[in-house]
């Protein structure tokens, strides 16, 4: 039984998949299994995975008979994990060779941590770093358009669960920490990914309620920003990515997000006073968003 399980869900990832797997298998920390679940790809993904599995017995390759949707596929790779620690990996992202070594060391040194990630570098299709402002930490594309803002400082590192809740619910915009190393037993206590766009943030909120996060300061995680990422999809395309049947949701994604957060809060084990503080943060944030929409009606 390996110490670490890595789950890689993929659908039609032929362009970047081999390189992503290469950087995972090249880790200096080697006590891990790589579980790859192909969501009924129609490109060369199956051939790439079969070839990789032939050369490294740490790879467990499974293929769905039909596309079950992004969120269920992400959950499926975790359901097969055997490691004490777990992380999700994307088919298009990259990891420096010491990523696992540094994160495992941090998790072993501090039992109170539920998640450890490293600083992130944004790269383009060719693995060249995107322009970054050293003063505010923002990334821009080659045309100068803002792509990603700086992450909130000391996110979810406080001993106060309410502060951790605020760090993720209010301040986190891009959920890179979903690719961090997590404790499997804590992750099993959560709702995991639900089938709407944005559920990864609600999952991080729930993890933050259950324990502290940590960040290794070196940028050992390379997030690839390219034209095929889910961020570039329309609302309808995102719905089909999450659910191939594209059934109309009963609630809009933002309402589904709040429902998941409230459910997590109810199951968190926080005291009534702590839950009340979290509800106050939610109420203030909802009110602020409503005021902003009225002031700027063209913004969504």
């Amino acid at each position: 039984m390996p110490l670490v399980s890595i789950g890689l869900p993929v659908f039609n990832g032929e362009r970047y998949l081999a390189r992503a797997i290469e950087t995972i298998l090249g880790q200096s920390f080697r006590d891990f299994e790589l579980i790859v679940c192909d969501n009924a790809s129609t490109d060369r993904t199956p051939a790439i995975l079969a070839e990789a599995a032939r050369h490294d017995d740490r790879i467990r390759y499974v293929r769905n008979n039909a596309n079950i949707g992004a969120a269920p596929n992400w959950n499926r790779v975790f359901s097969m994990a055997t490691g004490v620690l777990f992380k999700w990996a994307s088919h298009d992202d990259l990891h420096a060779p010491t990523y696992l070594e540094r994160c495992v060391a941090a998790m072993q040194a501090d039992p109170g941590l539920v998640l450890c990630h490293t600083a992130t570098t944004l790269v383009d299709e060719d693995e060249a770093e995107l322009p970054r402002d050293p003063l505010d930490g923002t990334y821009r594309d080659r045309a100068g358009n803002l792509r990603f803002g700086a992450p909130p400082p000391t996110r979810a590192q406080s001993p106060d669960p309410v502060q951790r809740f605020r760090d993720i619910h209010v301040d986190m915009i891009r959920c890179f920490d979903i690719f961090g190393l997590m404790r499997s037993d804590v992750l099993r206590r959560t709702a995991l990914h639900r089938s709407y766009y944005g559920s990864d943030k609600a999952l991080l909120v729930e993890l933050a309620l259950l324990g502290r996060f940590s960040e290794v300061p070196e940028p050992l995680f390379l997030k690839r920003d390219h034209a095929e990422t889910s961020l570039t999809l329309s609302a309808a395309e995102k719905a089909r990515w999450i659910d191939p049947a594209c059934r109309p949701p009963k609630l809009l994604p933002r309402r589904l997000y709040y429902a998941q957060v409230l459910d997590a809060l109810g199951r968190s084990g926080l005291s009534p006073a702590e839950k009340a503080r979290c509800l106050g943060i939610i109420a203030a944030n909802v009110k602020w968003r409503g005021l902003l929409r009225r002031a700027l009606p063209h913004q969504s």
Side-chain angles (χ1 to χ4, degrees):
M1 184 181 296
L3 178 64
V4 175
S5 295
I6 301 173
L8 196 161
V10 60
F11 172 71
N12 285 356
E14 64 177 2
R15 182 174 180 183
Y16 303 113
L17 179 59
R19 177 65 175 141
I21 291 176
E22 177 187 349
T23 69
I24 293 172
L25 298 179
Q27 292 293 299
S28 57
F29 179 90
R30 298 184 58 80
D31 185 17
F32 67 87
E33 62 178 351
L34 174 59
I35 305 162
V36 188
C37 190
D38 174 17
N39 208 4
S41 294
T42 57
D43 63 359
R44 292 186 56 254
T45 291
I48 293 170
L49 294 176
E51 179 68 17
R54 278 196 294 269
H55 288 87
D56 199 308
D57 59 9
R58 291 175 296 175
I59 299 176
R60 294 169 57 194
Y61 166 40
V62 296
R63 175 177 167 84
N64 298 328
N65 293 326
N67 189 322
I68 62 175
N73 201 40
W74 278 61
N75 292 340
R76 188 178 183 205
V77 291
F78 176 58
S79 73
M80 293 184 285
T82 62
V84 174
L85 302 173
F86 175 82
K87 80 174 261 50
W88 277 293
S90 177
H91 76 278
D92 50 1
D93 295 334
L94 308 163
H95 296 79
T98 56
Y99 177 93
L100 280 182
E101 178 183 339
R102 295 299 309 279
C103 290
V104 167
M107 296 289 278
Q108 290 180 325
D110 188 345
L113 296 180
V114 300
L115 183 151
C116 181
H117 195 33
T118 73
T120 298
T121 295
L122 260 68
V123 298
D124 64 11
E125 291 90 338
D126 302 315
E127 300 181 25
E129 183 176 2
L130 293 178
R132 179 179 181 273
D133 189 323
L135 297 179
D136 62 13
T138 58
Y139 276 95
R140 298 182 180 274
D141 61 21
R142 302 301 175 193
N145 301 310
L146 180 66
R147 293 299 296 154
F148 294 93
T154 63
R155 58 192 180 279
Q157 297 178 23
S158 170
D160 179 7
V162 180
Q163 181 59 51
R164 299 196 302 265
F165 175 87
R166 178 182 176 82
D167 288 347
I168 306 301
H169 172 65
V170 177
D171 296 332
M172 179 170 282
I173 299 175
R174 302 302 181 203
C175 300
F176 296 155
D177 289 79
I178 203 67
F179 297 106
L181 187 65
M182 309 171 190
R183 295 199 189 278
S184 298
D185 59 342
V186 177
L187 189 56
R188 290 189 185 98
R189 294 166 55 189
T190 71
L192 297 178
H193 292 276
R194 294 185 178 176
S195 290
Y196 67 91
Y197 197 84
S199 179
D200 54 347
K201 181 173 179 176
L203 174 53
L204 288 175
V205 167
E206 183 163 13
L207 285 169
L209 288 170
L210 298 174
R212 292 179 290 108
F213 292 10
S214 178
E215 180 182 272
V216 174
E218 291 87 356
L220 304 179
F221 177 65
L222 284 70
K223 181 67 181 170
R224 201 190 293 264
D225 183 50
H226 56 89
E228 301 167 24
T229 65
S230 62
L231 290 172
T232 65
L233 301 177
S234 67
E237 289 169 334
K238 288 176 180 176
R240 285 193 294 272
W241 177 63
I242 292 292
D243 179 3
C246 202
R247 294 181 292 272
K250 296 179 180 178
L251 295 172
L252 295 175
R254 178 154 294 279
R255 294 190 178 185
L256 291 169
Y257 165 81
Y258 279 111
Q260 186 174 350
V261 167
L262 290 173
D263 176 58
L265 190 58
R267 294 183 290 103
S268 65
L270 268 62
S271 69
E274 290 171 329
K275 290 179 180 179
R277 290 169 59 200
C278 291
L279 290 173
I281 291 171
I282 292 174
N285 191 238
V286 170
K287 181 179 179 181
W288 178 86
R289 287 180 176 276
L291 291 172
L292 183 62
R293 280 195 295 270
R294 286 192 289 272
L296 302 170
H298 63 286
Q299 299 288 330
S300 58

